[in-house]
Structures are given as structure tokens and as C-alpha cells.
Amino acid sequence: MAQSNVPVSAAADESLSEEFAVPSHVEEVKKQMAEFAEHHAAANRRVVLITSGGTKVPLESRTVRFLDNFSSGRRGASSAEYFLDSGYAVIFLHRHRSLYPYTRLYTGVNLLDSLKFESGEEEPCRVLVDQKELPNILKVLKRYQAVKEAGLLLPVEFNTLSEYLHLLKAAAQALSSIGSKAMFYLAAAVSDFYIPASEMPEHKIQSSNGPLQITMKMVPKMLRPLVKDWAPQAFVISFKLETDPSILLERARRALDTYSHQAVVANVLDTRRGYVVIVTKNSQHELILTDEEVQKEVEIEDKIVSKLSVAHTQFMSQ
Ligand code: 9Z3
């Protein structure tokens, strides 16, 4: 593969360390991720790094207010399960409290409504699960425990935008040693804008000062250094979200042209659970859930992951 001597992305890389505080645990997490990746690659397993959830951007350094976005983390959490079912080991880089593999299936449930204790005088008595309240709990629990015991899922949390950016860089560097066995599946909805720490008021913004005007800077694009410098042999998938379907494919193609990675999963906010397009340099492939599939509770992530894992196999054999 042709590589330039000077990293194309040095500017993005520099602004990352200058403008975003480096989290204190980043080196420790990087080591964990590198060991995880090497262990699984040695067992001939592929490793996918999934990013998941939204980001919060603070408006004050002693933060009272922040800008957030809609992402629930469902795409990332359900995809993690399908990647595990397809034989991948998964690093799950997710926003704190966004949806999590397996537990996501029970987010609408009040735990206390699904438990009861065995009647009787004896203490301690046993607590029982009402399986009607937690559908498929036996199957899900078995799968969750098997994944955990086999050490196939490495969860890594982020809270702030700075943490996300530094942990993604650390992950990319940690996975570079396993070359094309690594996949990046960048499903997180990361803010494009932020207020630099040096320009942020320390204290709560006062409404008595009248209407608020803020200027935000552009968040550096991580895809460029990831593809060019940090993990140049990896199979890289980004996601493109729009609300206007008429510009979706053009934007997805533009991202591919700009970053030269392997594929973009394009989706529209309102239809994202049932329709996506996988765009590559030479193709575009629609994935749609039929009404019958929706009835049977098939998830579109099942289709996305099978399509991409086949494409990853082809990529590795090139
Ligand atoms: C996505 O497009 C994901 O599919 C969703 C999933 C965030 C829509 P949920 O978490 O939703 O299941 O509720 N992720 C990427 C969104 C994004 O911000 N992409 C950037 C862009 O479109 C490029 S990296 O410009």
C-alpha cells in the first residue's frame, strides 16, 4: 500500500492534543485494547471496534448546560451482538449510559416489576424472575454469560467529547498491530461543533445578560488520521446521517472520496431502523426490512453486520 512520508493528517492530530484534554486513563485503556486485540487475533479471530451513542458538548466549564444529540446507542449495541454471533471479538466504545449489548433488550422494563420472592417464612428467601416481564431472558442471559466468560466483549466508556476523541485514537493505534483483521464500525453520533476550553465561560451563563449567542469551532475529523496514519490496514466503516433523503447518497460518496475508507452506511433519521444504504467506491447496496421481517422482530443491524463481515473477508484476502 502506498504511504506518504509526512502524515497527511498532522494538523488534525496536533489540534487534538492541543485543544482536547487527554484523559488520565487513556494509556491504560490503550494497553488493554492492544492486549485484547492481539490475544484474539492470535486465536484467528477478527476484532471490531464499535463506537456508539451521542456526545455532550458543554457550554460552561462548570457545566450546567450542554448541547446533546438524539442518538440512543441502539445501532451500536445491537450491532455488537450480531458481530459477536458472527465470530468477532468486540471493543465497544460507548457513551456512558447509552444502550448496552443484551441489557438494551430490557430498557423499557421496571426491574422490580419482573421480580418476586418465594412466599414462605424462611429468610433469606429466593427471588424469582417473571419470564413474561423479561421476554427471552433465559436465552439472552446464557448468551451474555458465554460472551463474558470467553472474554469476547471489551466495554470502554466515554463521557465527554475529549474522552471520545482520545480513546478512538488510542483504539486505532492499539488495533494497528493486527492489520486487516481489525474493523472500525463508527456508529456514534459525534458532535461536529464544540466550544474550546479557552473560550468557555467558567460559571453558569446568566440569562439576565439577555439572548445568548455562541460561536462553536469544528471538531477535528478523526477519520482522516485514522485511515491514513493510525490504522492504515484496517477495514473502516463510517456512518452518514441526514434528515433530507435527497442529499444522503451524495454526502456518503463525498465522505468516501475525502477519506478513502472502505464503506459508508448511509441512513436518514426517521427511517434508520428499517432502511440503510451501504455505499462503497464501486457500489451501493440497499438494506430494507420488509413488513414481515418487522413483524418477526428482525433487526436491520443483523443485515448490516452480515453484509459487512462478508466484505471484510474479501478485504482481508486482497
Ligand atoms: C449513525 O448514522 C447511526 O446510524 C445513528 C444510530 C446515530 C443514526 P441510534 O444510536 O442511531 O441507534 O439511535 N451514526 C453516525 C452519525 C454521524 O454523526 N455521522 C457523521 C455525519 O453524518 C459522520 S461521522 O456527518
Side-chain angles (χ1 to χ4, degrees):
M1 184 183 295
Q3 284 185 5
S4 56
N5 295 330
V6 182
V8 192
S9 43
D13 207 356
E14 256 166 44
S15 73
L16 181 60
S17 16
E18 275 168 23
E19 299 192 22
F20 297 92
V22 184
S24 57
H25 64 311
V26 74
E27 283 306 317
E28 189 191 324
V29 178
K30 184 171 168 181
K31 193 163 159 261
Q32 274 175 9
M33 293 191 285
E35 283 169 7
F36 180 88
E38 278 153 30
H39 166 78
H40 286 293
N44 211 17
R45 215 167 272 128
R46 301 183 231 174
V47 179
V48 60
L49 180 285
I50 298 177
T51 68
S52 187
T55 55
K56 273 185 191 171
V57 177
L59 301 190
E60 301 124 339
S61 43
R62 300 193 191 203
T63 310
V64 173
R65 304 187 186 88
F66 48 80
L67 291 181
D68 204 341
N69 64 48
F70 68 94
S71 169
S72 64
R74 177 167 151 187
R75 175 86 85 219
S78 62
S79 301
E81 294 167 20
Y82 294 111
F83 275 116
L84 288 161
D85 290 347
S86 311
Y88 281 78
V90 175
I91 301 178
F92 187 59
L93 178 59
H94 64 289
R95 174 181 168 172
H96 178 61
R97 294 205 181 130
S98 60
L99 293 184
Y100 194 83
Y102 307 109
T103 60
R104 71 169 178 114
L105 298 162
Y106 305 109
T107 39
V109 178
N110 179 341
L111 184 66
L112 296 184
D113 287 337
S114 63
L115 302 177
K116 51 187 173 191
F117 50 85
E118 258 180 351
S119 50
E121 297 297 302
E122 275 180 40
E123 292 284 343
C125 64
R126 289 196 309 172
V127 173
L128 304 173
V129 172
D130 180 347
Q131 295 192 36
K132 283 201 293 297
E133 295 285 339
L134 299 179
N136 300 320
I137 185 64
L138 203 57
K139 189 172 141 227
V140 173
L141 182 62
K142 278 187 183 163
R143 184 68 189 131
Y144 171 75
Q145 287 182 345
V147 162
K148 214 173 159 183
E149 271 159 31
L152 289 167
L153 177 63
L154 177 64
V156 179
E157 266 189 16
F158 61 88
N159 276 302
T160 62
L161 179 64
S162 287
E163 279 178 6
Y164 167 82
L165 296 172
H166 284 286
L167 288 168
L168 178 60
K169 176 179 176 183
Q173 293 174 331
L175 266 64
S176 65
S177 66
I178 67 161
S180 63
K181 277 206 170 89
M183 184 196 298
F184 289 82
Y185 183 88
L186 306 173
V190 181
S191 177
D192 283 326
F193 310 105
Y194 77 109
I195 303 179
S198 57
E199 290 168 30
M200 213 186 287
E202 180 184 353
H203 292 287
K204 183 183 165 217
I205 299 166
Q206 294 299 318
S207 60
S208 53
N209 294 343
L212 178 63
Q213 277 197 342
I214 48 174
T215 306
M216 303 182 86
K217 282 184 73 170
M218 297 294 296
V219 171
K221 294 285 180 201
M222 301 292 282
L223 207 46
R224 189 183 296 278
L226 191 154
V227 172
K228 295 279 180 230
D229 304 328
W230 301 334
Q233 293 174 312
F235 186 63
V236 180
I237 312 302
S238 73
F239 281 69
K240 173 57 69 184
L241 174 77
E242 293 297 341
T243 49
D244 176 356
S246 71
I247 61 170
L248 181 67
L249 292 179
E250 188 269 317
R251 294 294 155 117
R253 291 232 156 266
R254 192 187 293 181
L256 269 187
D257 289 345
T258 309
Y259 303 112
S260 310
H261 55 306
Q262 281 65 49
V264 174
V265 180
N267 56 174
V268 171
L269 184 65
D270 298 340
T271 55
R272 69 190 191 279
R273 304 273 175 243
Y275 175 75
V276 304
V277 187
I278 298 189
V279 184
T280 69
K281 196 165 171 241
N282 304 314
S283 71
Q284 66 192 45
H285 189 93
E286 290 186 324
L287 298 177
I288 304 168
L289 286 185
T290 62
D291 291 344
E292 203 189 335
E293 286 170 328
V294 173
Q295 284 289 314
K296 287 187 186 154
E297 300 188 349
V298 175
E299 293 181 302
I300 193 127
E301 289 78 12
D302 192 356
K303 297 187 177 207
I304 302 175
V305 169
S306 7
K307 182 86 190 149
L308 291 177
S309 57
V310 170
H312 189 191
T313 308
Q314 284 164 358
F315 176 79
M316 283 167 59
S317 65
Q318 276 168 18

